[in-house]
Each structure stands twice: as structure tokens, then as C-alpha cells.
Amino acid sequence: MTAMVLAENKLLQEIVQNVEQNNIAVAVEKIRQQAAKFCQLPTSWLLNTADALETKNWSILSESFINMDFIGEDGYFLIVAPYQINRKRQKNVRLSALYGQIHPNDEPSIEQLENLVREKFGTVREGIPINLSFTEIASCGNVRGEAGEAFIVPNGWSFTGGVSGPALNNAKEQQQRFLGRSHKCIRTVFETETANLLLAPLEDEVNSQRYRHMDTQVHEAGHGSGLGLDFKIKQKLLPDYSYRGVEEWRSDSLGFEFAACILPPEEAGKLVAVNFCIRFGLDAHRAGGIEKDVDVYASLISLEHLFKNDAVYITKEGQLALRNLSYPGLLQAVELHRAKALSLTRRELNLKNPTGIFSLYHIDIHPSTQSVLQGLVRERCQGIWTELQ
């Protein structure tokens, strides 16, 4: 790495630090200073960022973000803007900054996924959101560390006006979560052989990043199927945690279906394993609980379908276990997920009035499933995730 690049990296990290310390005038000066040089970031994006910081008119960043013109040479990017997260049903908006480098990973392609959506549903109502995996170099605000988001959705930024633009998947933070507390949770909730099967793709030093990227991209294809997540948000069709939880579960399950279509069963099953590590090692333990949190509710629906499909059972030790301990077996374990999500999506496309989603997005949960998630999953791991927001 040349001295010029090292100096630029240092300056960009200082800008993030200035934003964190609320030294906005200093940050603006340094951004303009950097824009005046030949650098790894697009000049127009830097100048618009400086203007937005001074005027609070964040919309001037929108078009460049949607078109991914904020990414510079070798994948480097800097985003400075307010970002919103939701915790315990409360909105939290903070000025945030993120400096990182995008990974060159385009598998599966958006074209391939859109063709699958047309094949399954006859139409693509919305473009499939693009997922970009990246390595974080510096960050602050609501996109930093465990207190922030590892998967940074486009509609969280103040300048998108919806969900347009790429989702950003923080590979470094995801890895820390997966191989830290989430790893402990999976080994606590599931019996040993099941836990080994679920964790192996994330422990694969060569392919773990690829598996995480593919899992999030097929999930985004799920959001783009049917009426589309953007449309649902704009029409206020997902008014509370339960509707949004169904939407998350639907997208997970369609992701399994798409993975089964484009990958061999062994590889598709590994994406299911990654999803289960997220849902049962991380999302199920969020502080809002079953009656407040979107991701906890999505995990609950997933567990309900696993029991209905007779894919898991409870051991004498009170742990969950898969009946078929193989990756093709994992793909079979979510057959009911896939069938129900396909049916649900086709039904929403046939609604005469979109508000029919309010009755369509109601999934009955057996009381025993709720007890299992609360007792054998959440309470058993309380000491591991006590600080999770």
C-alpha cells in the first residue's frame, strides 16, 4: 500500500472520528480537502456529503446511493448521514458514519434471481435489492458494533425515502457475532451433532463469507417477490412487529426456495444452516421478545414450521435436534417453509386490494412452540446475550 493511500485511509478514519465527536465543521473541511485530491472515493459523492452535513439536506445523496456511485476505486466507500434503527419498538436516529471496502462478490446475480422470481410468480413487481458485503474500516453511530447494525438496510438512511439502494452487510461484525455469542447460543440451544452441522459453514475459513453473502442475497430476493417490500412499506401494509415478522420469515423461506433452485442440495443446505445460526443464535434473543421484536417473531414462525414438518425434536436434555443430520436433510427440513411462503406470495399477488395482507399475514403459532422458544431458546441463553439491544 502506497504512502498516499495510507495517508488517505488515515484521513478518512479521522473524519469518522470527527463525526463521532460531533466536530462536524472539522469533518466537512476534511471531506472537502479529500475531494480536492485524486483519491479512492468519488469526488462528487464527497462534495455532496459535505454539503449535506452543512445544510441537512440529505436528499442530495439519494441518487448516487441508489445508483451505487458512492463506491470508489477498489471498492472503498464513506457514508455520513443519519441512520435509524428500531430497538424495543422505539426509533433511534443518529448521525452515523461508515468507512469500508466492498467485497467483489456477485454470486448469485440479480438477473439470475429475477428470472427465478418470474418463474415462480410470473412477474417481478420490484427490483431485487442488492446486497453488498463489505469490510468495515471505521464506523460510528447506529452502524457501529453490537449496539448498531451488522446488516445495514437501505431504508435506514435518511436520504433513501424508501428502501431503494443496496443493503450493506458488515462481514467483520457478522463474523464476530457468529463466532462469539451466537456460536455459544447455537451450542446451548441445539444438541452437539446438530450444532456442529449448523456452525460448520460459518467456521469454514475459505467459504464462510461467501455463504453469508449468498444467504443475505437470496433473502433480499424474497423481499423483492410478491408485492415487494418497498410497496408494502409505502402503503403501510406492515404496521407492527408481527406483520414485519411474517415478511421476514417469508423472505427467509423464499430464499431457501431460490437456493434450492440454483445450488446443489449440499450447498443450499449450508445456506439454511447460516440462516438458522442467525435466527436462533442471534435474532431469537433480541431484547424486545416474542411480543415486540420483528426478528424474534420471525424466528418463532420458523420454529413453528420446523415442528410442523417434524424436522426437529427435543432431546431428554431439553435441546433441539435435527432428525436428518445432513445438509440435504436441512433443505428437506424447510420444505414446509418453502411451500407455505410460495403459496402466501402467490396469494398476495392475487389480492384485489393490497389491504388483504392484514388477514393474509396471520400465522397461527401453537402455544407449545412459543413456550419452547421462550424457555429452551431465549431463557437458556439469557446470560450470553444480556447486552444485546
Side-chain angles (χ1 to χ4, degrees), residues 319-348:
Q319 292 179 297
L320 297 177
L322 285 164
R323 295 194 184 277
N324 189 330
L325 286 167
S326 68
Y327 293 113
L330 256 179
L331 196 58
Q332 292 174 5
V334 295
E335 283 181 344
L336 187 59
H337 291 65
R338 293 159 58 189
K340 291 285 189 180
L342 285 167
S343 174
L344 182 63
T345 304
R346 288 168 182 149
R347 289 172 67 191
E348 77 175 46

PDB file of all heavy atoms in Angstrom, residues 319-348:
ATOM      1  N   GLN A 319     -32.690 -30.015  24.618  1.00  0.00           N
ATOM      2  CA  GLN A 319     -32.095 -29.301  23.490  1.00  0.00           C
ATOM      3  C   GLN A 319     -32.815 -29.683  22.204  1.00  0.00           C
ATOM      4  O   GLN A 319     -33.426 -30.749  22.098  1.00  0.00           O
ATOM      5  CB  GLN A 319     -30.603 -29.626  23.369  1.00  0.00           C
ATOM      6  CG  GLN A 319     -29.753 -29.069  24.504  1.00  0.00           C
ATOM      7  CD  GLN A 319     -28.296 -29.448  24.341  1.00  0.00           C
ATOM      8  OE1 GLN A 319     -27.946 -30.623  24.365  1.00  0.00           O
ATOM      9  NE2 GLN A 319     -27.438 -28.440  24.192  1.00  0.00           N
ATOM     10  N   LEU A 320     -32.737 -28.798  21.214  1.00  0.00           N
ATOM     11  CA  LEU A 320     -33.324 -29.083  19.916  1.00  0.00           C
ATOM     12  C   LEU A 320     -32.359 -29.928  19.094  1.00  0.00           C
ATOM     13  O   LEU A 320     -31.137 -29.735  19.155  1.00  0.00           O
ATOM     14  CB  LEU A 320     -33.631 -27.785  19.169  1.00  0.00           C
ATOM     15  CG  LEU A 320     -34.658 -26.845  19.823  1.00  0.00           C
ATOM     16  CD1 LEU A 320     -34.794 -25.563  18.998  1.00  0.00           C
ATOM     17  CD2 LEU A 320     -36.010 -27.527  19.959  1.00  0.00           C
ATOM     18  N   ALA A 321     -32.923 -30.852  18.302  1.00  0.00           N
ATOM     19  CA  ALA A 321     -32.100 -31.720  17.461  1.00  0.00           C
ATOM     20  C   ALA A 321     -32.779 -31.932  16.118  1.00  0.00           C
ATOM     21  O   ALA A 321     -34.003 -32.072  16.042  1.00  0.00           O
ATOM     22  CB  ALA A 321     -31.874 -33.061  18.142  1.00  0.00           C
ATOM     23  N   LEU A 322     -31.987 -31.946  15.057  1.00  0.00           N
ATOM     24  CA  LEU A 322     -32.489 -32.248  13.721  1.00  0.00           C
ATOM     25  C   LEU A 322     -32.621 -33.752  13.549  1.00  0.00           C
ATOM     26  O   LEU A 322     -31.768 -34.517  14.010  1.00  0.00           O
ATOM     27  CB  LEU A 322     -31.541 -31.697  12.661  1.00  0.00           C
ATOM     28  CG  LEU A 322     -31.559 -30.187  12.430  1.00  0.00           C
ATOM     29  CD1 LEU A 322     -30.310 -29.754  11.661  1.00  0.00           C
ATOM     30  CD2 LEU A 322     -32.816 -29.785  11.653  1.00  0.00           C
ATOM     31  N   ARG A 323     -33.662 -34.175  12.850  1.00  0.00           N
ATOM     32  CA  ARG A 323     -33.847 -35.607  12.607  1.00  0.00           C
ATOM     33  C   ARG A 323     -32.910 -36.098  11.507  1.00  0.00           C
ATOM     34  O   ARG A 323     -32.470 -37.247  11.538  1.00  0.00           O
ATOM     35  CB  ARG A 323     -35.296 -35.896  12.234  1.00  0.00           C
ATOM     36  CG  ARG A 323     -36.271 -35.606  13.373  1.00  0.00           C
ATOM     37  CD  ARG A 323     -37.634 -36.207  13.118  1.00  0.00           C
ATOM     38  NE  ARG A 323     -38.568 -35.824  14.171  1.00  0.00           N
ATOM     39  CZ  ARG A 323     -38.681 -36.436  15.355  1.00  0.00           C
ATOM     40  NH1 ARG A 323     -37.900 -37.477  15.630  1.00  0.00           N
ATOM     41  NH2 ARG A 323     -39.549 -36.021  16.250  1.00  0.00           N
ATOM     42  N   ASN A 324     -32.628 -35.262  10.529  1.00  0.00           N
ATOM     43  CA  ASN A 324     -31.746 -35.642   9.430  1.00  0.00           C
ATOM     44  C   ASN A 324     -30.493 -34.782   9.498  1.00  0.00           C
ATOM     45  O   ASN A 324     -30.515 -33.597   9.171  1.00  0.00           O
ATOM     46  CB  ASN A 324     -32.458 -35.438   8.087  1.00  0.00           C
ATOM     47  CG  ASN A 324     -31.663 -36.011   6.923  1.00  0.00           C
ATOM     48  OD1 ASN A 324     -30.439 -36.067   6.950  1.00  0.00           O
ATOM     49  ND2 ASN A 324     -32.367 -36.439   5.879  1.00  0.00           N
ATOM     50  N   LEU A 325     -29.399 -35.397   9.936  1.00  0.00           N
ATOM     51  CA  LEU A 325     -28.164 -34.640  10.163  1.00  0.00           C
ATOM     52  C   LEU A 325     -27.304 -34.607   8.902  1.00  0.00           C
ATOM     53  O   LEU A 325     -26.242 -35.224   8.815  1.00  0.00           O
ATOM     54  CB  LEU A 325     -27.385 -35.247  11.325  1.00  0.00           C
ATOM     55  CG  LEU A 325     -27.967 -34.964  12.711  1.00  0.00           C
ATOM     56  CD1 LEU A 325     -27.339 -35.857  13.762  1.00  0.00           C
ATOM     57  CD2 LEU A 325     -27.770 -33.496  13.073  1.00  0.00           C
ATOM     58  N   SER A 326     -27.772 -33.868   7.909  1.00  0.00           N
ATOM     59  CA  SER A 326     -27.019 -33.655   6.682  1.00  0.00           C
ATOM     60  C   SER A 326     -27.506 -32.345   6.067  1.00  0.00           C
ATOM     61  O   SER A 326     -28.581 -31.851   6.432  1.00  0.00           O
ATOM     62  CB  SER A 326     -27.234 -34.804   5.696  1.00  0.00           C
ATOM     63  OG  SER A 326     -28.576 -34.799   5.213  1.00  0.00           O
ATOM     64  N   TYR A 327     -26.724 -31.797   5.144  1.00  0.00           N
ATOM     65  CA  TYR A 327     -27.168 -30.549   4.524  1.00  0.00           C
ATOM     66  C   TYR A 327     -28.344 -30.753   3.566  1.00  0.00           C
ATOM     67  O   TYR A 327     -29.275 -29.931   3.566  1.00  0.00           O
ATOM     68  CB  TYR A 327     -25.987 -29.842   3.848  1.00  0.00           C
ATOM     69  CG  TYR A 327     -24.992 -29.365   4.879  1.00  0.00           C
ATOM     70  CD1 TYR A 327     -23.719 -29.916   4.969  1.00  0.00           C
ATOM     71  CD2 TYR A 327     -25.354 -28.386   5.820  1.00  0.00           C
ATOM     72  CE1 TYR A 327     -22.821 -29.509   5.941  1.00  0.00           C
ATOM     73  CE2 TYR A 327     -24.463 -27.977   6.794  1.00  0.00           C
ATOM     74  CZ  TYR A 327     -23.198 -28.541   6.859  1.00  0.00           C
ATOM     75  OH  TYR A 327     -22.325 -28.136   7.832  1.00  0.00           O
ATOM     76  N   PRO A 328     -28.385 -31.851   2.787  1.00  0.00           N
ATOM     77  CA  PRO A 328     -29.621 -32.120   2.053  1.00  0.00           C
ATOM     78  C   PRO A 328     -30.805 -32.324   3.000  1.00  0.00           C
ATOM     79  O   PRO A 328     -31.932 -31.926   2.688  1.00  0.00           O
ATOM     80  CB  PRO A 328     -29.298 -33.400   1.269  1.00  0.00           C
ATOM     81  CG  PRO A 328     -27.817 -33.353   1.081  1.00  0.00           C
ATOM     82  CD  PRO A 328     -27.295 -32.762   2.368  1.00  0.00           C
ATOM     83  N   GLY A 329     -30.541 -32.896   4.179  1.00  0.00           N
ATOM     84  CA  GLY A 329     -31.588 -33.061   5.181  1.00  0.00           C
ATOM     85  C   GLY A 329     -32.078 -31.732   5.723  1.00  0.00           C
ATOM     86  O   GLY A 329     -33.270 -31.553   6.003  1.00  0.00           O
ATOM     87  N   LEU A 330     -31.145 -30.761   5.865  1.00  0.00           N
ATOM     88  CA  LEU A 330     -31.535 -29.411   6.291  1.00  0.00           C
ATOM     89  C   LEU A 330     -32.452 -28.760   5.264  1.00  0.00           C
ATOM     90  O   LEU A 330     -33.409 -28.062   5.617  1.00  0.00           O
ATOM     91  CB  LEU A 330     -30.292 -28.540   6.478  1.00  0.00           C
ATOM     92  CG  LEU A 330     -29.826 -28.251   7.899  1.00  0.00           C
ATOM     93  CD1 LEU A 330     -28.577 -27.392   7.876  1.00  0.00           C
ATOM     94  CD2 LEU A 330     -30.912 -27.598   8.726  1.00  0.00           C
ATOM     95  N   LEU A 331     -32.166 -29.001   3.986  1.00  0.00           N
ATOM     96  CA  LEU A 331     -33.020 -28.462   2.935  1.00  0.00           C
ATOM     97  C   LEU A 331     -34.411 -29.102   3.001  1.00  0.00           C
ATOM     98  O   LEU A 331     -35.426 -28.420   2.814  1.00  0.00           O
ATOM     99  CB  LEU A 331     -32.371 -28.712   1.573  1.00  0.00           C
ATOM    100  CG  LEU A 331     -32.916 -27.909   0.388  1.00  0.00           C
ATOM    101  CD1 LEU A 331     -32.800 -26.410   0.640  1.00  0.00           C
ATOM    102  CD2 LEU A 331     -32.179 -28.295  -0.889  1.00  0.00           C
ATOM    103  N   GLN A 332     -34.462 -30.386   3.312  1.00  0.00           N
ATOM    104  CA  GLN A 332     -35.754 -31.060   3.484  1.00  0.00           C
ATOM    105  C   GLN A 332     -36.488 -30.532   4.716  1.00  0.00           C
ATOM    106  O   GLN A 332     -37.722 -30.467   4.741  1.00  0.00           O
ATOM    107  CB  GLN A 332     -35.543 -32.567   3.612  1.00  0.00           C
ATOM    108  CG  GLN A 332     -35.054 -33.243   2.339  1.00  0.00           C
ATOM    109  CD  GLN A 332     -34.714 -34.709   2.552  1.00  0.00           C
ATOM    110  OE1 GLN A 332     -34.918 -35.269   3.620  1.00  0.00           O
ATOM    111  NE2 GLN A 332     -34.174 -35.336   1.507  1.00  0.00           N
ATOM    112  N   ALA A 333     -35.733 -30.138   5.728  1.00  0.00           N
ATOM    113  CA  ALA A 333     -36.345 -29.645   6.965  1.00  0.00           C
ATOM    114  C   ALA A 333     -37.158 -28.383   6.727  1.00  0.00           C
ATOM    115  O   ALA A 333     -38.090 -28.085   7.489  1.00  0.00           O
ATOM    116  CB  ALA A 333     -35.259 -29.371   8.012  1.00  0.00           C
ATOM    117  N   VAL A 334     -36.826 -27.616   5.677  1.00  0.00           N
ATOM    118  CA  VAL A 334     -37.546 -26.367   5.409  1.00  0.00           C
ATOM    119  C   VAL A 334     -38.494 -26.498   4.213  1.00  0.00           C
ATOM    120  O   VAL A 334     -38.908 -25.491   3.629  1.00  0.00           O
ATOM    121  CB  VAL A 334     -36.568 -25.184   5.199  1.00  0.00           C
ATOM    122  CG1 VAL A 334     -35.806 -24.892   6.480  1.00  0.00           C
ATOM    123  CG2 VAL A 334     -35.613 -25.447   4.035  1.00  0.00           C
ATOM    124  N   GLU A 335     -38.863 -27.716   3.858  1.00  0.00           N
ATOM    125  CA  GLU A 335     -39.812 -27.906   2.752  1.00  0.00           C
ATOM    126  C   GLU A 335     -41.133 -27.207   3.028  1.00  0.00           C
ATOM    127  O   GLU A 335     -41.727 -26.598   2.135  1.00  0.00           O
ATOM    128  CB  GLU A 335     -40.041 -29.395   2.500  1.00  0.00           C
ATOM    129  CG  GLU A 335     -38.908 -30.076   1.741  1.00  0.00           C
ATOM    130  CD  GLU A 335     -39.185 -31.549   1.500  1.00  0.00           C
ATOM    131  OE1 GLU A 335     -40.084 -32.107   2.164  1.00  0.00           O
ATOM    132  OE2 GLU A 335     -38.505 -32.137   0.639  1.00  0.00           O
ATOM    133  N   LEU A 336     -41.618 -27.288   4.265  1.00  0.00           N
ATOM    134  CA  LEU A 336     -42.881 -26.640   4.606  1.00  0.00           C
ATOM    135  C   LEU A 336     -42.732 -25.124   4.583  1.00  0.00           C
ATOM    136  O   LEU A 336     -43.639 -24.411   4.136  1.00  0.00           O
ATOM    137  CB  LEU A 336     -43.376 -27.108   5.978  1.00  0.00           C
ATOM    138  CG  LEU A 336     -44.772 -26.632   6.380  1.00  0.00           C
ATOM    139  CD1 LEU A 336     -45.820 -27.104   5.375  1.00  0.00           C
ATOM    140  CD2 LEU A 336     -45.123 -27.123   7.791  1.00  0.00           C
ATOM    141  N   HIS A 337     -41.593 -24.617   5.057  1.00  0.00           N
ATOM    142  CA  HIS A 337     -41.312 -23.176   4.942  1.00  0.00           C
ATOM    143  C   HIS A 337     -41.494 -22.727   3.497  1.00  0.00           C
ATOM    144  O   HIS A 337     -42.192 -21.739   3.205  1.00  0.00           O
ATOM    145  CB  HIS A 337     -39.854 -22.861   5.318  1.00  0.00           C
ATOM    146  CG  HIS A 337     -39.478 -23.035   6.752  1.00  0.00           C
ATOM    147  ND1 HIS A 337     -39.485 -24.246   7.380  1.00  0.00           N
ATOM    148  CD2 HIS A 337     -39.037 -22.124   7.678  1.00  0.00           C
ATOM    149  CE1 HIS A 337     -39.069 -24.088   8.625  1.00  0.00           C
ATOM    150  NE2 HIS A 337     -38.786 -22.812   8.829  1.00  0.00           N
ATOM    151  N   ARG A 338     -40.847 -23.457   2.603  1.00  0.00           N
ATOM    152  CA  ARG A 338     -40.837 -23.080   1.191  1.00  0.00           C
ATOM    153  C   ARG A 338     -42.234 -23.136   0.578  1.00  0.00           C
ATOM    154  O   ARG A 338     -42.655 -22.201  -0.111  1.00  0.00           O
ATOM    155  CB  ARG A 338     -39.876 -23.990   0.432  1.00  0.00           C
ATOM    156  CG  ARG A 338     -38.423 -23.787   0.808  1.00  0.00           C
ATOM    157  CD  ARG A 338     -37.558 -24.995   0.469  1.00  0.00           C
ATOM    158  NE  ARG A 338     -37.606 -25.325  -0.949  1.00  0.00           N
ATOM    159  CZ  ARG A 338     -37.079 -26.450  -1.463  1.00  0.00           C
ATOM    160  NH1 ARG A 338     -36.472 -27.320  -0.659  1.00  0.00           N
ATOM    161  NH2 ARG A 338     -37.158 -26.675  -2.756  1.00  0.00           N
ATOM    162  N   ALA A 339     -42.947 -24.233   0.852  1.00  0.00           N
ATOM    163  CA  ALA A 339     -44.291 -24.397   0.270  1.00  0.00           C
ATOM    164  C   ALA A 339     -45.244 -23.315   0.758  1.00  0.00           C
ATOM    165  O   ALA A 339     -46.009 -22.734  -0.022  1.00  0.00           O
ATOM    166  CB  ALA A 339     -44.834 -25.786   0.611  1.00  0.00           C
ATOM    167  N   LYS A 340     -45.207 -23.030   2.051  1.00  0.00           N
ATOM    168  CA  LYS A 340     -46.110 -22.018   2.624  1.00  0.00           C
ATOM    169  C   LYS A 340     -45.769 -20.617   2.103  1.00  0.00           C
ATOM    170  O   LYS A 340     -46.659 -19.814   1.830  1.00  0.00           O
ATOM    171  CB  LYS A 340     -46.015 -22.039   4.155  1.00  0.00           C
ATOM    172  CG  LYS A 340     -46.589 -23.296   4.792  1.00  0.00           C
ATOM    173  CD  LYS A 340     -48.110 -23.273   4.783  1.00  0.00           C
ATOM    174  CE  LYS A 340     -48.681 -24.405   5.617  1.00  0.00           C
ATOM    175  NZ  LYS A 340     -50.151 -24.399   5.633  1.00  0.00           N
ATOM    176  N   ALA A 341     -44.475 -20.314   1.981  1.00  0.00           N
ATOM    177  CA  ALA A 341     -44.072 -18.988   1.511  1.00  0.00           C
ATOM    178  C   ALA A 341     -44.432 -18.796   0.039  1.00  0.00           C
ATOM    179  O   ALA A 341     -44.853 -17.705  -0.377  1.00  0.00           O
ATOM    180  CB  ALA A 341     -42.574 -18.785   1.713  1.00  0.00           C
ATOM    181  N   LEU A 342     -44.283 -19.837  -0.773  1.00  0.00           N
ATOM    182  CA  LEU A 342     -44.684 -19.762  -2.176  1.00  0.00           C
ATOM    183  C   LEU A 342     -46.183 -19.498  -2.282  1.00  0.00           C
ATOM    184  O   LEU A 342     -46.629 -18.637  -3.049  1.00  0.00           O
ATOM    185  CB  LEU A 342     -44.325 -21.068  -2.894  1.00  0.00           C
ATOM    186  CG  LEU A 342     -42.843 -21.285  -3.222  1.00  0.00           C
ATOM    187  CD1 LEU A 342     -42.603 -22.740  -3.636  1.00  0.00           C
ATOM    188  CD2 LEU A 342     -42.384 -20.341  -4.335  1.00  0.00           C
ATOM    189  N   SER A 343     -46.966 -20.235  -1.504  1.00  0.00           N
ATOM    190  CA  SER A 343     -48.423 -20.062  -1.519  1.00  0.00           C
ATOM    191  C   SER A 343     -48.820 -18.662  -1.044  1.00  0.00           C
ATOM    192  O   SER A 343     -49.655 -17.996  -1.663  1.00  0.00           O
ATOM    193  CB  SER A 343     -49.080 -21.118  -0.632  1.00  0.00           C
ATOM    194  OG  SER A 343     -50.465 -20.897  -0.524  1.00  0.00           O
ATOM    195  N   LEU A 344     -48.196 -18.212   0.040  1.00  0.00           N
ATOM    196  CA  LEU A 344     -48.503 -16.893   0.595  1.00  0.00           C
ATOM    197  C   LEU A 344     -48.206 -15.791  -0.416  1.00  0.00           C
ATOM    198  O   LEU A 344     -48.998 -14.853  -0.592  1.00  0.00           O
ATOM    199  CB  LEU A 344     -47.681 -16.678   1.869  1.00  0.00           C
ATOM    200  CG  LEU A 344     -47.882 -15.372   2.631  1.00  0.00           C
ATOM    201  CD1 LEU A 344     -49.302 -15.271   3.148  1.00  0.00           C
ATOM    202  CD2 LEU A 344     -46.887 -15.276   3.790  1.00  0.00           C
ATOM    203  N   THR A 345     -47.078 -15.911  -1.110  1.00  0.00           N
ATOM    204  CA  THR A 345     -46.682 -14.884  -2.072  1.00  0.00           C
ATOM    205  C   THR A 345     -47.616 -14.868  -3.276  1.00  0.00           C
ATOM    206  O   THR A 345     -47.989 -13.793  -3.775  1.00  0.00           O
ATOM    207  CB  THR A 345     -45.223 -15.127  -2.526  1.00  0.00           C
ATOM    208  OG1 THR A 345     -44.383 -15.163  -1.363  1.00  0.00           O
ATOM    209  CG2 THR A 345     -44.741 -14.022  -3.446  1.00  0.00           C
ATOM    210  N   ARG A 346     -48.011 -16.035  -3.751  1.00  0.00           N
ATOM    211  CA  ARG A 346     -48.952 -16.089  -4.870  1.00  0.00           C
ATOM    212  C   ARG A 346     -50.310 -15.520  -4.476  1.00  0.00           C
ATOM    213  O   ARG A 346     -50.959 -14.828  -5.276  1.00  0.00           O
ATOM    214  CB  ARG A 346     -49.091 -17.538  -5.351  1.00  0.00           C
ATOM    215  CG  ARG A 346     -47.848 -18.032  -6.099  1.00  0.00           C
ATOM    216  CD  ARG A 346     -47.837 -19.513  -6.318  1.00  0.00           C
ATOM    217  NE  ARG A 346     -46.595 -19.916  -7.006  1.00  0.00           N
ATOM    218  CZ  ARG A 346     -46.003 -21.075  -6.833  1.00  0.00           C
ATOM    219  NH1 ARG A 346     -46.515 -21.993  -6.006  1.00  0.00           N
ATOM    220  NH2 ARG A 346     -44.889 -21.363  -7.493  1.00  0.00           N
ATOM    221  N   ARG A 347     -50.704 -15.774  -3.244  1.00  0.00           N
ATOM    222  CA  ARG A 347     -51.997 -15.241  -2.776  1.00  0.00           C
ATOM    223  C   ARG A 347     -51.956 -13.712  -2.655  1.00  0.00           C
ATOM    224  O   ARG A 347     -52.928 -13.036  -2.972  1.00  0.00           O
ATOM    225  CB  ARG A 347     -52.372 -15.893  -1.448  1.00  0.00           C
ATOM    226  CG  ARG A 347     -52.762 -17.359  -1.564  1.00  0.00           C
ATOM    227  CD  ARG A 347     -52.939 -17.992  -0.211  1.00  0.00           C
ATOM    228  NE  ARG A 347     -54.086 -17.430   0.501  1.00  0.00           N
ATOM    229  CZ  ARG A 347     -54.331 -17.658   1.787  1.00  0.00           C
ATOM    230  NH1 ARG A 347     -53.510 -18.402   2.512  1.00  0.00           N
ATOM    231  NH2 ARG A 347     -55.397 -17.125   2.346  1.00  0.00           N
ATOM    232  N   GLU A 348     -50.826 -13.173  -2.189  1.00  0.00           N
ATOM    233  CA  GLU A 348     -50.762 -11.705  -2.059  1.00  0.00           C
ATOM    234  C   GLU A 348     -50.774 -11.041  -3.429  1.00  0.00           C
ATOM    235  O   GLU A 348     -51.320  -9.949  -3.591  1.00  0.00           O
ATOM    236  CB  GLU A 348     -49.562 -11.263  -1.227  1.00  0.00           C
ATOM    237  CG  GLU A 348     -48.213 -11.289  -1.903  1.00  0.00           C
ATOM    238  CD  GLU A 348     -47.105 -10.716  -1.010  1.00  0.00           C
ATOM    239  OE1 GLU A 348     -47.030 -11.063   0.183  1.00  0.00           O
ATOM    240  OE2 GLU A 348     -46.303  -9.921  -1.526  1.00  0.00           O
TER     241      GLU A 348
END
